[in-house]
């Protein structure tokens, strides 16, 4: 493994590689939560950027200077980039070839039967095949299953005869930034680059060197494994307290007290807190290992634990309140994690579907997501149960709990796997919370 630090010098070196046919420095294909902040950041570092997306509404928003989703600091960045005129937009993937460096940031979902779904990447590859020429680089920024980068290189050789690493460059440079922290982390997180052949790593390292973070050179498959296993580690770390939460309920134990006993002043503690664990990355990235695992089923079990949390919460409510038909349940939070507007693959939706199958009257509130929800006060008004599905900052305020106690039904059950208010109870009646000294 080699390490080097990029920076302005690397940017100049890379700029000198552009040929007279290139009208831009870098293209970013897929202006989603990864691609758009990346395209803006390249432009902000002085590169001429082509951003490609097939979603006309998304392109229109960017053209009009509106971020289509929340990302800290990105709106100001978009306005700055607009003023600088360094971002060109297109709906055609083939236009990406007007830049020497083409970064693919398309979605890579998983089929439900445990197999990476590469259809978007295959489609983009096919669109690019006819327009690639020697000197181009193709960089997979998307999260991919082990072997995908070599597949892409092989595909270009098979269909165009390119010598990868000499004429055309292919690498995996996985996105490792957490949503909401893009601009904070792009300059600092080590950028892993797994290049195919002799020179791909060097050429792609020079591109990402514009951000000044350390560039860590490795092989394509090691880059792929490092990315997916970082997410598998998080997914597994959260499954353990979630399983413990379920075990505690069966044993009439308090999960927060057990976690405190594990972690307090103990050098080998460190178990995480329970919660609803999903989102577009964690929920599917384990499958990229699972599809050809040496121990099939192990990560599937991790997934099953996290996926069972909504049912566990539902059953806990039913055990305490009885049948839920025509009872009002408020669900606070639809986003997959705190303080984001991304509710794709959030377990809150699964929880709502389960509640609706019990014929409960569900009222959801989320102050961040674009999915329509009702106002907070309306959601909790007269509720028989209130479930905190996402630990948004707004819900962690004592006044949120006070509003629940004031507006919900007298014997309202508060379900808080996140321990938002420090009451250390997954299931507690609003009256109990008041007796514990939490505001009511
Ligand atoms: N979201 C994250 O926080 C995050 C973090 C790390 C890695 N990743 C990985 O990065 C990749 C992208 O994730 P994302 O969340 O940005 O996805 P996304 O769905 O937000 O973005 C994908 C974009 O590609 C566009 N698109 C789809 N097909 C296209 C086509 N044929 N031509 C042009 N544009 C097309 C879509 O309109 C969309 O704007 C995935 O592999 C994901 O696993 C995501």
């Amino acid at each position: 493994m080699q390490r080097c630090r990029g920076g302005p010098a690397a940017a100049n070196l890379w700029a000198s590689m552009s040929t007279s046919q290139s009208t831009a420095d870098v293209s970013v294909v897929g202006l989603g939560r990864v691609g758009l902040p990346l395209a803006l950041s390249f432009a902000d570092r002085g590169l001429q950027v082509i951003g490609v997306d097939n979603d006309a509404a998304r392109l229109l928003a960017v053209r009009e200077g509106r971020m289509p989703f929340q990302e800290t600091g990105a709106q100001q960045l978009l306005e700055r980039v607009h003023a600088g005129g360094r971002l060109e937009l297109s709906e055609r993937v083939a236009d990406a070839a007007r830049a020497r460096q083409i970064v693919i940031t398309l979605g890579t979902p998983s089929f439900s039967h445990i197999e990476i779904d590469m259809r978007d990447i295959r489609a983009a590859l096919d669109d690019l095949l006819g327009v690639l020429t020697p000197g181009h680089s193709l960089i997979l920024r998307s999260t991919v299953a082990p072997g995908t980068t070599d597949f892409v290189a092989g595909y270009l050789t098979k269909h165009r005869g390119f010598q990868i690493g000499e004429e055309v460059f292919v690498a995996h440079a996985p996105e490792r930034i957490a949503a909401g922290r893009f601009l904070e982390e792009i300059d600092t997180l080590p950028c892993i680059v797994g290049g195919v052949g002799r020179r791909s790593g060097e050429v792609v390292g020079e591109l990402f060197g514009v951000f000044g973070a350390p560039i860590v050179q490795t092989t394509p498959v090691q880059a792929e494994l490092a990315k997916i296993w970082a997410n598998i580690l998080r997914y597994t770390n959260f499954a353990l307290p979630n399983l413990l939460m379920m075990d505690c309920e069966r044993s009439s134990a308090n999960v927060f007290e057990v976690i405190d006993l594990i972690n307090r002043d103990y050098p080998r503690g460190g178990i995480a807190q329970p919660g609803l664990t999903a989102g577009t990355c964690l929920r599917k990235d384990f499958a990229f290992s699972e599809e050809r695992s040496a121990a099939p089923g192990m990560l599937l079990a991790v997934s099953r634990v996290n996926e069972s949390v909504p049912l566990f919460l539902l059953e806990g409510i039913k055990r305490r309140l009885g049948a839920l038909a025509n009872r009002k349940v408020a669900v606070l939070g639809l986003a997959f994690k705190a303080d984001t507007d991304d509710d794709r693959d959030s377990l809150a939706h699964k929880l709502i579907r389960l509640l609706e199958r019990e014929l409960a009257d569900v009222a959801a509130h989320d102050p961040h997501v674009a999915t329509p929800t009702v106002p907070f006060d309306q959601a909790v008004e007269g509720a028989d149960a209130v479930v905190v599905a996402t630990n948004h900052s707004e819900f962690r305020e004592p006044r949120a709990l006070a509003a629940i106690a004031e507006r919900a039904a007298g014997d309202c059950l508060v379900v808080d796997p996140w321990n938002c208010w420090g009451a250390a109870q997954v299931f507690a009646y609003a009256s109990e919370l008041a007796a514990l000294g939490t505001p009511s």
Side-chain angles (χ1 to χ4, degrees):
M1 185 184 295
Q2 295 168 265
R3 285 166 194 272
C4 58
R5 186 165 273 278
N12 292 340
L13 177 67
W14 176 71
S16 70
M17 291 168 44
S18 299
T19 69
S20 52
Q21 300 101 308
S22 304
T23 58
D25 299 314
V26 58
S27 293
V28 177
V29 181
L31 297 177
R33 294 193 179 247
V34 166
L36 182 53
L38 182 67
L40 295 174
S41 298
F42 277 132
D44 201 39
R45 297 308 188 284
L47 303 190
Q48 199 62 38
V49 182
I50 299 173
V52 180
D53 204 291
N54 64 359
D55 178 343
R58 176 146 299 196
L59 289 185
L60 180 67
V62 178
R63 248 185 216 115
E64 290 177 346
R66 279 184 290 114
M67 273 300 288
F69 48 84
Q70 285 178 6
E71 177 61 47
T72 310
Q75 180 60 40
Q76 295 92 312
L77 176 58
L78 174 57
E79 287 162 20
R80 207 159 62 231
V81 167
H82 249 272
R86 285 191 295 272
L87 176 63
E88 190 189 327
L89 298 171
S90 171
E91 284 185 7
R92 295 181 59 244
V93 173
D95 285 340
R98 287 200 280 110
R100 279 327 212 184
Q101 305 255 23
I102 303 168
V103 185
I104 306 277
T105 49
L106 295 165
T108 47
S110 164
F111 289 119
S112 58
H113 41 273
I114 311 294
E115 176 194 352
I116 185 171
D117 176 356
M118 296 208 317
R119 281 175 294 182
D120 284 351
I121 290 195
R122 282 286 297 266
L125 266 182
D126 289 334
D127 286 346
L128 287 167
L129 259 187
V131 288
L132 289 179
T133 55
H136 270 119
S137 306
L138 207 55
I139 302 138
L140 290 175
R141 188 72 166 165
S142 303
T143 306
V144 291
T148 306
T149 312
D150 281 331
F151 159 78
V152 169
Y155 199 76
L156 298 185
T157 302
K158 176 175 175 174
H159 294 286
R160 292 289 313 276
F162 291 131
Q163 241 191 309
I164 306 300
E166 303 293 342
E167 294 174 288
V168 166
F169 309 103
V170 173
H172 182 41
E175 177 60 74
R176 304 198 301 150
I177 297 174
R181 299 216 182 130
F182 193 96
L183 302 183
E184 180 193 324
E185 294 188 346
I186 186 73
D187 295 340
T188 53
L189 274 196
C191 175
I192 296 174
V193 177
V196 179
R198 197 171 64 87
R199 290 198 53 234
S200 295
E202 173 199 334
V203 171
V204 172
E206 285 168 357
L207 170 68
F208 281 91
V210 296
F211 297 119
I215 304 291
V216 187
Q217 296 283 355
T218 185
T219 63
V221 76
Q222 289 190 177
E224 292 160 341
L225 287 166
K227 169 61 198 178
I228 61 173
W229 275 85
N231 279 359
I232 288 169
L233 178 65
R234 279 176 74 69
Y235 201 42
T236 308
N237 272 345
F238 295 134
L240 296 176
N242 284 336
L243 184 58
L244 177 60
M245 172 169 67
M246 299 178 208
D247 279 359
C248 283
E249 170 86 349
R250 291 209 337 258
S251 305
S252 300
N254 181 315
V255 64
F256 298 108
E257 289 179 18
V258 176
I259 286 176
D260 183 58
L261 292 169
I262 294 168
N263 290 343
R264 185 186 293 237
D265 298 331
Y266 188 60
R268 287 166 293 284
I271 191 167
Q273 300 289 320
L276 281 84
T277 307
T280 49
C281 289
L282 295 191
R283 206 180 198 187
K284 53 92 179 171
D285 286 356
F286 82 91
F288 298 177
S289 169
E290 187 68 15
E291 72 173 341
R292 51 186 74 189
S293 174
M298 179 184 154
L299 298 178
L300 203 52
V302 164
S303 167
R304 288 276 294 116
V305 170
N306 288 324
E307 287 293 313
S308 298
V309 170
L311 183 63
F312 163 76
L313 297 178
L314 172 82
E315 287 177 343
I317 298 171
K318 281 172 67 183
R319 249 192 308 281
R320 288 159 176 89
L321 298 188
L324 293 180
N326 306 318
R327 311 285 299 273
K328 180 172 179 182
V329 181
V331 173
L332 300 182
L334 291 185
F336 83 92
K337 72 170 187 179
D339 302 333
T340 175
D341 65 342
D342 190 351
D343 64 335
R344 297 174 302 171
D345 266 323
S346 164
L347 287 178
H349 292 297
K350 186 176 197 174
L351 174 67
I352 290 171
R353 289 192 295 272
L354 289 171
L355 287 163
E356 286 175 348
R357 283 162 64 184
E358 299 294 321
L359 301 173
D361 298 329
V362 181
H365 167 71
D366 191 303
H368 295 274
V369 302
T371 305
T373 61
V374 300
F376 181 93
D377 286 354
Q378 192 180 326
V380 300
E381 189 71 48
D384 298 295
V386 175
V387 187
V388 185
T390 312
N391 54 339
H392 283 316
S393 309
E394 291 85 346
F395 305 149
R396 296 199 295 265
E397 294 289 329
R399 67 169 176 269
L401 183 55
I404 292 167
E406 187 189 319
R407 293 179 172 274
D411 54 352
C412 172
L413 183 68
V414 178
V415 183
D416 178 17
W418 302 101
N419 195 15
C420 277
W421 300 294
Q425 307 251 24
V426 177
F427 301 98
Y429 292 95
S431 53
E432 274 182 87
L433 296 178
L436 286 170
T438 343
S440 64

